[in-house]
Structure formats: C-alpha cells, structure tokens
Amino acid sequence: MTLMERFFLERENAQLVVVDVQDKLCRAMDEKVLGKLTGNISILLDAAAELGIPALATEQYVKGLGETVPALKEKLCTPSLEKMTFSCCGGEGFLETLEKNGRRQVILTGMETHVCVLQTALELLSRGYVVHLVVDAVMSRKKHNWDIALQTMTQAGAVMTSTESVLFQLLRVAGTEEFKKLSKLVR
C-alpha cells in the first residue's frame, strides 16, 4: 500500500461509520464536547450524502441506550444497525454491509472512543481496512480514556485525522459546486 492509499481519502474508496451516538449514552457525556462531536458528525454525514459516500450507523443495546440522536438519525439514508457486541464488526450485517460497499477506507466516528470505537478500529485494521479516525468526532466520558484509545489506535495503524481534513481530502479541489456547498459547513 502506498502512502497516498493509506493517508489520503478517496471518495470512491471511502465509507463513513458512526458508532453508537445514542440518546441515553449522550446524557453521560460532557455537553460542550458532545455538541462539537454531533456537529462534526453532522458535517461528515452531509458531505457523505453530497459526495455519494455510503454512511452507516450502529446502535449499542437500543433497549438500554436508546436510538441514534435525532439530529444525526435524520441524515442517515439507511437504518442503523443494532448490536450487542462492543466492536461493530460483531454486529449482525455490519461487515456484510462494508464488504458490499466494496470500499476499503473507513472514516470512523462515534462513542465511546475507548470501547466500541477502539474495538471496531482494531478489528477493521486486522481485516485489512484503512481506518481514518476522526479525532474531533469521537469521544469518551473521561478524557484520559479518550487519550489512551487514540494512542492505541495510532500504534495499531489507524490514521488520525479531523473533520476538516476529511472534508477537504474528499473534495480535493476548490471552485466546484460541491466545494461551494460543503465548505460553508466549516466556516
């Protein structure tokens, strides 16, 4: 794999995964950080829709944690996949959906960073996916858990990135109608 294939997102090869941003789980999070997380994931969902990038969301134990928060759920084109495993890869239909999309770059967002996001990233990496972890679109209840998870995923080979980096890598050039529409999301 070349440097560009690993570190540079290509819209034809990328897919977005939103892990467990659910009502009851969000209540346990820092409100200020949560607002930034949902705002950044919203930007990524808008970009995915505009650029034809598949987006998939998961929900952990819906009976106990509720559904995906409404602001994000309304932007999804497909129903969220319910799971009981911490890694999304153990959830019914998850790996099959990724494989069906035929895209090897996964833009990973969600919560909690040190549990479901971490386990998903490690399993995806072990299966040969290139994981781009959107650092400003993942969170944990405690910052030290978030920090440790980021270190672990970096050591495992995930690419650390940001919402704006993802957006502008996928756009590639300025001056297009897509650029005009999507660049407004980060102003």
Side-chain angles (χ1 to χ4, degrees), residues 95-115:
L95 286 172
E96 295 82 1
T97 301
L98 292 186
E99 288 297 323
K100 185 179 82 176
N101 291 336
R103 295 162 180 245
R104 302 306 295 174
Q105 295 177 324
V106 175
I107 303 164
L108 191 58
T109 68
M111 60 176 68
E112 283 195 77
T113 310
H114 66 292
V115 184

Side-chain angles (χ1 to χ4, degrees), residues 10-30:
E10 300 170 349
R11 73 170 78 174
E12 304 81 20
N13 198 28
Q15 51 192 325
L16 174 63
V17 173
V18 180
V19 179
D20 306 344
V21 184
Q22 296 164 252
D23 288 324
K24 291 181 184 174
L25 187 55
C26 287
R27 292 181 202 155
M29 301 295 170
D30 178 283

Side-chain angles (χ1 to χ4, degrees), residues 1-9 105 130 132 159:
M1 177 180 307
T2 69
L3 183 102
M4 288 298 283
E5 289 169 332
R6 179 162 181 235
F7 287 94
F8 207 95
L9 288 164
Q105 295 177 324
V130 177
H132 285 246
V159 176

Side-chain angles (χ1 to χ4, degrees), residues 144-187:
H144 72 274
N145 285 332
W146 178 81
D147 288 331
I148 291 167
L150 294 183
Q151 290 173 25
T152 302
M153 287 182 271
T154 300
Q155 290 170 344
V159 176
M160 299 297 118
T161 191
S162 69
T163 300
E164 284 197 37
S165 290
V166 168
L167 181 64
F168 289 107
Q169 280 187 14
L170 294 171
L171 284 169
R172 294 216 178 210
V173 296
T176 66
E177 287 305 312
E178 292 168 337
F179 172 82
K180 291 174 187 172
K181 183 175 183 180
L182 294 175
S183 64
K184 291 177 186 175
L185 298 174
V186 293
R187 286 189 191 146

Side-chain angles (χ1 to χ4, degrees), residues 17 19-20 58 60 83-91 94-95 98 106 108-129 131 133 138-140 145-146 148-150 152-154 156 158 160:
V17 173
V19 179
D20 306 344
T58 63
Q60 176 76 25
K83 65 185 180 65
M84 290 297 288
T85 57
F86 295 120
S87 171
C88 295
C89 297
F94 181 79
L95 286 172
L98 292 186
V106 175
L108 191 58
T109 68
M111 60 176 68
E112 283 195 77
T113 310
H114 66 292
V115 184
C116 296
V117 174
L118 171 65
Q119 291 184 31
T120 300
L122 295 176
E123 196 160 346
L124 289 172
L125 288 164
S126 75
R127 292 174 178 276
Y129 286 90
V131 175
L133 184 77
V138 294
M139 73 181 298
S140 295
N145 285 332
W146 178 81
I148 291 167
L150 294 183
T152 302
M153 287 182 271
T154 300
M160 299 297 118

